Amino acid sequence: MASPKTLEIVTATVPVLEEHGVAITTVFYRNMFNEHPELLDIFNETNQKLGRQQTALATTVLAAAKHLDKLATLLPQVTQISHKHRALQILPEHYPIVGKHLIGAIKEVLGEAATDDIITAWTEAYDEIASVFIQIEHGMYKEAMWQGFAPFKVTEKVAAATDIAAFTVVPVNDNEDSNQDIDLSKLKLTAGQYITVKTDPADSDHIALRHYSLYSASTETGIQFAVRRDNRNEHHGLVSNYMHDQLEVGDTVLLSAPAGDFALNQNLVQQNEIPLVLMSAGVGVTPVLSMLEAQVLANPKRPIVWVYACQNATHHAFSAQVNELLEQAERVEKHIFYFESGQLLDAAWLETLPKPADIYVCGSMPFMESMIDGLVGLDHGVDSVHYEPFGPKMSLGG
């Protein structure tokens, strides 16, 4: 536990660091990468260029500092971030490096205002926060289905929509560089999880890591995940374009073990009173598709409300698979929104959803914010609204 003096100083100085948070983390990343360029192989280069990672780090550290005397209250958020860290292979030895340069950045940005007492207090605070992450991630590494990044061969690649490619991969167990064999039949995937792909794109000087959601928890044919092509601007699409344009059937790709805590509430799967609401937009359909599959296999009698939004019919992902699963369920509502046709999935429409309901939402950050704000505003309890945003979360690394 942090000392009373540290708690007092950190609490008093959080507003100052909030004011300068992004400036501090910008300096932090610059200095850390100058001294440790190898870490550019872990941190998302695109999010760095767009400033997203700086904001995420500042938000994470400041949120934890505010709750330094009761970090247990942040356990769900810490666990969510730790899943990302384990998937990216962030290790205990990385935390002192981060701490050194984060504290150094505070001193550099605040100048003379960063007294010795303030620096000592924030050093202790960071060490306390880091120890929590390290402890949780230690357990995750032990429970991972395999260690590090293992080679998988692409056995199928199909278009799930005009901008989404669906991949099926199987482990390569005769690889000299790997000392572990992966038995597909023994893998227990959870609907809602994601895998992490490690690539070495020709257009980058660094290794690039990206998370992609599983669209099925079945391993009968292999591990199945989907990738949306991202061409929004010059900073996007480094890995997704490589996956779409260059990775083909027969090629090998490196994956770390599935991760993530976006999962169905198992206490409700077998009951038939509280409906399951699955809401997604674009490629956000992938994890909720796997949840739909899991629910139908476990209990097709439960009421299901399927809600999907995308640009138009050509961008409508996994339509056939969704329809096939919905036909197996006994009580179904299906709602499709095409933005180009003026169909709006907005707060007014959310009023039509049943209450109570067990709700799962996935999509872009703007979509997530709109849906969650609308649902909470309609008195759907925070415990009944589960979500997985596609974009950078608060994180010490990824």
Side-chain angles (χ1 to χ4, degrees):
M1 289 291 295
S3 68
K5 182 179 180 181
T6 289
L7 290 173
E8 179 182 354
I9 293 174
V10 167
T11 301
T13 54
V14 160
V16 178
L17 267 68
E18 283 182 324
E19 181 182 350
H20 300 282
V22 175
I24 290 170
T25 50
T26 299
V27 170
F28 153 76
Y29 280 118
R30 182 197 68 203
N31 293 346
M32 183 176 71
F33 292 144
N34 283 341
E35 187 168 321
H36 293 276
E38 73 278 5
L39 293 182
L40 285 164
D41 287 342
I42 296 177
F43 288 73
N44 187 314
E45 186 178 9
T46 296
N47 287 335
Q48 287 289 318
K49 291 176 179 176
L50 295 175
R52 291 174 173 176
Q53 211 155 42
Q54 293 86 327
T55 302
L57 176 63
T59 305
T60 298
V61 173
L62 291 170
K66 288 180 180 179
H67 298 83
L68 195 57
D69 58 337
K70 47 184 184 299
L71 282 174
T73 63
L74 294 179
L75 188 58
Q77 293 93 328
V78 171
T79 300
Q80 193 176 67
I81 296 168
S82 289
H83 275 287
K84 295 283 188 185
H85 286 178
R86 200 281 298 157
L88 293 166
Q89 302 296 295
I90 291 177
L91 302 171
E93 55 262 35
H94 294 134
Y95 281 90
I97 297 172
V98 171
K100 170 188 172 182
H101 290 284
L102 184 60
I103 299 303
I106 291 174
K107 293 175 68 174
E108 183 174 335
V109 172
L110 297 187
E112 294 181 358
T115 65
D116 290 344
D117 283 347
I118 289 175
I119 293 302
T120 299
W122 275 94
T123 300
E124 185 180 343
Y126 173 81
D127 290 344
E128 180 75 14
I129 295 166
S131 69
V132 172
F133 278 97
I134 290 170
Q135 182 178 356
I136 292 174
E137 288 157 23
H138 175 73
M140 290 180 177
Y141 277 106
K142 289 180 64 176
E143 295 172 2
M145 288 176 240
W146 64 85
Q147 300 302 312
F149 286 90
F152 283 74
K153 183 174 71 173
V154 179
T155 58
E156 186 177 49
K157 176 185 179 182
V158 297
T162 189
D163 60 344
I164 297 174
F167 292 87
T168 302
V169 299
V170 297
V172 178
N173 287 327
D174 59 353
N175 184 41
E176 303 180 335
D177 298 328
S178 176
N179 59 2
Q180 58 184 339
D181 283 346
I182 300 169
D183 186 345
L184 275 178
S185 66
K186 294 182 180 179
L187 297 184
K188 302 298 182 185
L189 307 184
T190 299
Q193 286 185 312
Y194 53 85
I195 50 85
T196 302
V197 174
K198 182 178 183 179
T199 63
D200 189 8
D203 294 339
S204 174
D205 295 330
H206 306 286
I207 297 296
L209 310 177
R210 295 294 186 273
H211 308 299
Y212 297 114
S213 291
L214 306 176
Y215 64 86
S216 172
S218 169
T219 59
E220 185 175 349
T221 60
I223 293 177
Q224 301 170 86
F225 62 94
V227 179
R228 181 179 72 87
R229 184 191 292 275
D230 192 350
N231 283 333
R232 283 173 288 175
N233 59 50
E234 71 274 14
H235 295 310
H236 290 87
L238 178 68
V239 176
S240 67
N241 283 302
Y242 162 78
M243 301 282 284
H244 274 255
D245 297 335
Q246 300 180 45
L247 190 66
E248 301 296 344
V249 171
D251 291 342
T252 299
V253 63
L254 296 174
L255 306 182
S256 67
D261 58 356
F262 185 47
L264 288 174
N265 181 344
Q266 292 301 310
N267 294 326
L268 298 178
V269 168
Q270 295 297 338
Q271 58 77 53
N272 300 320
E273 290 74 43
I274 299 177
L276 171 65
V277 178
L278 299 171
M279 304 179 62
S280 61
V283 75
V285 69
T286 48
V288 295
L289 172 58
S290 68
M291 292 179 180
L292 174 63
E293 176 189 63
Q295 177 63 61
V296 170
L297 289 174
N299 175 21
K301 297 181 181 295
R302 184 182 185 187
I304 296 174
V305 181
W306 178 265
V307 186
Y308 181 63
C310 62
Q311 189 174 345
N312 53 40
T314 65
H315 287 79
H316 190 152
F318 295 105
S319 178
Q321 292 94 321
V322 168
N323 289 337
E324 183 179 342
L325 288 167
L326 291 177
E327 287 173 1
Q328 299 174 41
E330 296 188 8
R331 289 184 285 173
V332 171
E333 288 184 31
K334 178 184 173 185
H335 304 276
I336 306 299
F337 298 84
Y338 291 152
F339 299 138
E340 282 189 357
S341 301
Q343 299 167 335
L344 295 179
L345 176 50
D346 55 16
W349 187 89
L350 293 178
E351 293 184 20
T352 66
L353 290 175
K355 193 190 303 182
D358 187 28
I359 305 173
Y360 297 80
V361 191
C362 187
S364 66
M365 288 304 296
F367 174 79
M368 299 295 310
E369 291 168 358
S370 174
M371 294 301 98
I372 294 171
D373 288 348
L375 291 166
V376 173
L378 291 168
D379 295 325
H380 288 277
V382 292
D383 291 338
S384 66
V385 180
H386 318 275
Y387 61 93
E388 180 77 69
F390 277 5
K393 295 182 181 179
M394 298 185 304
S395 175
L396 292 179

